[in-house]
PDB file of all heavy atoms in Angstrom:
ATOM      1  N   GLU K 120     -18.611   4.030  -8.405  1.00 92.00           N
ATOM      2  CA  GLU K 120     -18.050   3.970  -7.157  1.00 92.00           C
ATOM      3  C   GLU K 120     -16.515   3.939  -7.265  1.00 92.00           C
ATOM      4  O   GLU K 120     -15.800   4.603  -6.536  1.00 92.00           O
ATOM      5  CB  GLU K 120     -18.470   2.728  -6.432  1.00 92.00           C
ATOM      6  CG  GLU K 120     -19.887   2.627  -5.902  1.00 92.00           C
ATOM      7  CD  GLU K 120     -20.358   1.310  -5.383  1.00 92.00           C
ATOM      8  OE1 GLU K 120     -19.526   0.293  -5.445  1.00 92.00           O
ATOM      9  OE2 GLU K 120     -21.502   1.192  -4.945  1.00 92.00           O
ATOM     10  N   ILE K 121     -15.992   3.165  -8.168  1.00 91.00           N
ATOM     11  CA  ILE K 121     -14.444   3.113  -8.429  1.00 91.00           C
ATOM     12  C   ILE K 121     -14.019   4.423  -8.826  1.00 91.00           C
ATOM     13  O   ILE K 121     -12.949   4.992  -8.328  1.00 91.00           O
ATOM     14  CB  ILE K 121     -14.168   1.984  -9.373  1.00 91.00           C
ATOM     15  CG1 ILE K 121     -14.562   0.573  -8.789  1.00 91.00           C
ATOM     16  CG2 ILE K 121     -12.666   2.015  -9.731  1.00 91.00           C
ATOM     17  CD1 ILE K 121     -14.575  -0.509  -9.779  1.00 91.00           C
ATOM     18  N   VAL K 122     -14.595   5.022  -9.842  1.00 90.00           N
ATOM     19  CA  VAL K 122     -14.213   6.394 -10.309  1.00 90.00           C
ATOM     20  C   VAL K 122     -14.156   7.405  -9.245  1.00 90.00           C
ATOM     21  O   VAL K 122     -13.251   8.225  -9.074  1.00 90.00           O
ATOM     22  CB  VAL K 122     -14.983   6.798 -11.577  1.00 90.00           C
ATOM     23  CG1 VAL K 122     -14.668   8.290 -11.946  1.00 90.00           C
ATOM     24  CG2 VAL K 122     -14.719   5.870 -12.726  1.00 90.00           C
ATOM     25  N   ASN K 123     -15.320   7.412  -8.556  1.00 94.00           N
ATOM     26  CA  ASN K 123     -15.365   8.386  -7.421  1.00 94.00           C
ATOM     27  C   ASN K 123     -14.297   8.163  -6.331  1.00 94.00           C
ATOM     28  O   ASN K 123     -13.865   9.043  -5.734  1.00 94.00           O
ATOM     29  CB  ASN K 123     -16.847   8.392  -6.835  1.00 94.00           C
ATOM     30  CG  ASN K 123     -17.842   9.004  -7.705  1.00 94.00           C
ATOM     31  OD1 ASN K 123     -17.473   9.767  -8.640  1.00 94.00           O
ATOM     32  ND2 ASN K 123     -19.130   8.683  -7.506  1.00 94.00           N
ATOM     33  N   LEU K 124     -14.116   6.920  -6.030  1.00 94.00           N
ATOM     34  CA  LEU K 124     -13.061   6.623  -5.020  1.00 94.00           C
ATOM     35  C   LEU K 124     -11.716   7.152  -5.417  1.00 94.00           C
ATOM     36  O   LEU K 124     -10.986   7.765  -4.643  1.00 94.00           O
ATOM     37  CB  LEU K 124     -13.020   5.088  -4.783  1.00 94.00           C
ATOM     38  CG  LEU K 124     -11.991   4.606  -3.695  1.00 94.00           C
ATOM     39  CD1 LEU K 124     -12.248   5.257  -2.394  1.00 94.00           C
ATOM     40  CD2 LEU K 124     -11.951   3.136  -3.697  1.00 94.00           C
ATOM     41  N   HIS K 125     -11.332   6.895  -6.636  1.00 93.00           N
ATOM     42  CA  HIS K 125     -10.055   7.415  -7.188  1.00 93.00           C
ATOM     43  C   HIS K 125     -10.101   8.993  -7.103  1.00 93.00           C
ATOM     44  O   HIS K 125      -9.097   9.602  -6.732  1.00 93.00           O
ATOM     45  CB  HIS K 125      -9.838   7.032  -8.724  1.00 93.00           C
ATOM     46  CG  HIS K 125      -9.208   5.596  -8.695  1.00 93.00           C
ATOM     47  ND1 HIS K 125      -8.087   5.160  -8.032  1.00 93.00           N
ATOM     48  CD2 HIS K 125      -9.676   4.471  -9.441  1.00 93.00           C
ATOM     49  CE1 HIS K 125      -7.886   3.911  -8.303  1.00 93.00           C
ATOM     50  NE2 HIS K 125      -8.828   3.487  -9.085  1.00 93.00           N
ATOM     51  N   ALA K 126     -11.128   9.571  -7.592  1.00 95.00           N
ATOM     52  CA  ALA K 126     -11.219  11.066  -7.506  1.00 95.00           C
ATOM     53  C   ALA K 126     -11.172  11.662  -6.183  1.00 95.00           C
ATOM     54  O   ALA K 126     -10.472  12.609  -5.925  1.00 95.00           O
ATOM     55  CB  ALA K 126     -12.552  11.515  -8.174  1.00 95.00           C
ATOM     56  N   GLN K 127     -11.831  10.966  -5.113  1.00 96.00           N
ATOM     57  CA  GLN K 127     -11.774  11.465  -3.822  1.00 96.00           C
ATOM     58  C   GLN K 127     -10.338  11.356  -3.246  1.00 96.00           C
ATOM     59  O   GLN K 127      -9.941  12.230  -2.535  1.00 96.00           O
ATOM     60  CB  GLN K 127     -12.726  10.687  -2.935  1.00 96.00           C
ATOM     61  CG  GLN K 127     -14.183  11.002  -3.255  1.00 96.00           C
ATOM     62  CD  GLN K 127     -15.170  10.007  -2.617  1.00 96.00           C
ATOM     63  OE1 GLN K 127     -14.739   8.936  -2.022  1.00 96.00           O
ATOM     64  NE2 GLN K 127     -16.433  10.283  -2.632  1.00 96.00           N
ATOM     65  N   THR K 128      -9.663  10.294  -3.554  1.00 96.00           N
ATOM     66  CA  THR K 128      -8.349  10.058  -3.054  1.00 96.00           C
ATOM     67  C   THR K 128      -7.446  11.247  -3.580  1.00 96.00           C
ATOM     68  O   THR K 128      -6.681  11.761  -2.876  1.00 96.00           O
ATOM     69  CB  THR K 128      -7.800   8.704  -3.485  1.00 96.00           C
ATOM     70  OG1 THR K 128      -8.654   7.653  -3.001  1.00 96.00           O
ATOM     71  CG2 THR K 128      -6.345   8.500  -3.048  1.00 96.00           C
ATOM     72  N   ILE K 129      -7.483  11.436  -4.873  1.00 97.00           N
ATOM     73  CA  ILE K 129      -6.659  12.517  -5.436  1.00 97.00           C
ATOM     74  C   ILE K 129      -7.049  13.857  -4.977  1.00 97.00           C
ATOM     75  O   ILE K 129      -6.212  14.689  -4.681  1.00 97.00           O
ATOM     76  CB  ILE K 129      -6.709  12.412  -7.073  1.00 97.00           C
ATOM     77  CG1 ILE K 129      -6.125  11.063  -7.475  1.00 97.00           C
ATOM     78  CG2 ILE K 129      -5.986  13.576  -7.681  1.00 97.00           C
ATOM     79  CD1 ILE K 129      -6.313  10.754  -8.957  1.00 97.00           C
ATOM     80  N   GLU K 130      -8.351  14.170  -4.809  1.00 97.00           N
ATOM     81  CA  GLU K 130      -8.817  15.442  -4.266  1.00 97.00           C
ATOM     82  C   GLU K 130      -8.280  15.607  -2.874  1.00 97.00           C
ATOM     83  O   GLU K 130      -7.823  16.799  -2.524  1.00 97.00           O
ATOM     84  CB  GLU K 130     -10.334  15.512  -4.262  1.00 97.00           C
ATOM     85  CG  GLU K 130     -10.895  15.716  -5.728  1.00 97.00           C
ATOM     86  CD  GLU K 130     -12.393  15.616  -5.772  1.00 97.00           C
ATOM     87  OE1 GLU K 130     -13.040  15.744  -4.751  1.00 97.00           O
ATOM     88  OE2 GLU K 130     -12.955  15.455  -6.821  1.00 97.00           O
ATOM     89  N   VAL K 131      -8.274  14.658  -2.071  1.00 97.00           N
ATOM     90  CA  VAL K 131      -7.839  14.738  -0.647  1.00 97.00           C
ATOM     91  C   VAL K 131      -6.269  15.014  -0.759  1.00 97.00           C
ATOM     92  O   VAL K 131      -5.768  15.954   0.025  1.00 97.00           O
ATOM     93  CB  VAL K 131      -8.084  13.507   0.182  1.00 97.00           C
ATOM     94  CG1 VAL K 131      -7.308  13.452   1.453  1.00 97.00           C
ATOM     95  CG2 VAL K 131      -9.571  13.330   0.419  1.00 97.00           C
ATOM     96  N   ILE K 132      -5.565  14.389  -1.517  1.00 97.00           N
ATOM     97  CA  ILE K 132      -4.095  14.636  -1.651  1.00 97.00           C
ATOM     98  C   ILE K 132      -3.863  16.050  -2.067  1.00 97.00           C
ATOM     99  O   ILE K 132      -3.071  16.761  -1.564  1.00 97.00           O
ATOM    100  CB  ILE K 132      -3.500  13.583  -2.621  1.00 97.00           C
ATOM    101  CG1 ILE K 132      -3.487  12.167  -2.147  1.00 97.00           C
ATOM    102  CG2 ILE K 132      -2.048  14.042  -3.024  1.00 97.00           C
ATOM    103  CD1 ILE K 132      -3.142  11.085  -3.045  1.00 97.00           C
ATOM    104  N   ILE K 133      -4.594  16.575  -3.163  1.00 97.00           N
ATOM    105  CA  ILE K 133      -4.445  17.867  -3.712  1.00 97.00           C
ATOM    106  C   ILE K 133      -4.813  18.913  -2.655  1.00 97.00           C
ATOM    107  O   ILE K 133      -4.055  19.938  -2.380  1.00 97.00           O
ATOM    108  CB  ILE K 133      -5.211  18.089  -5.006  1.00 97.00           C
ATOM    109  CG1 ILE K 133      -4.551  17.201  -6.089  1.00 97.00           C
ATOM    110  CG2 ILE K 133      -5.402  19.475  -5.357  1.00 97.00           C
ATOM    111  CD1 ILE K 133      -5.304  17.193  -7.317  1.00 97.00           C
ATOM    112  N   SER K 134      -5.878  18.671  -1.926  1.00 97.00           N
ATOM    113  CA  SER K 134      -6.376  19.577  -0.836  1.00 97.00           C
ATOM    114  C   SER K 134      -5.298  19.754   0.222  1.00 97.00           C
ATOM    115  O   SER K 134      -4.942  20.919   0.603  1.00 97.00           O
ATOM    116  CB  SER K 134      -7.683  19.134  -0.324  1.00 97.00           C
ATOM    117  OG  SER K 134      -8.114  19.983   0.730  1.00 97.00           O
ATOM    118  N   GLN K 135      -4.703  18.645   0.605  1.00 96.00           N
ATOM    119  CA  GLN K 135      -3.659  18.694   1.658  1.00 96.00           C
ATOM    120  C   GLN K 135      -2.449  19.422   1.119  1.00 96.00           C
ATOM    121  O   GLN K 135      -1.820  20.183   1.829  1.00 96.00           O
ATOM    122  CB  GLN K 135      -3.245  17.266   2.055  1.00 96.00           C
ATOM    123  CG  GLN K 135      -2.344  17.226   3.260  1.00 96.00           C
ATOM    124  CD  GLN K 135      -2.903  17.835   4.517  1.00 96.00           C
ATOM    125  OE1 GLN K 135      -4.132  17.663   4.848  1.00 96.00           O
ATOM    126  NE2 GLN K 135      -2.173  18.549   5.227  1.00 96.00           N
ATOM    127  N   GLY K 136      -2.169  19.165  -0.154  1.00 96.00           N
ATOM    128  CA  GLY K 136      -1.058  19.881  -0.781  1.00 96.00           C
ATOM    129  C   GLY K 136      -1.279  21.385  -0.920  1.00 96.00           C
ATOM    130  O   GLY K 136      -0.303  22.195  -0.723  1.00 96.00           O
TER     131      GLY K 136
END
Side-chain angles (χ1 to χ4, degrees):
E120 289 171 358
I121 295 166
V122 169
N123 287 343
L124 180 59
H125 282 305
Q127 289 167 352
T128 300
I129 294 170
E130 287 172 19
V131 166
I132 293 169
I133 288 172
S134 180
Q135 188 62 40

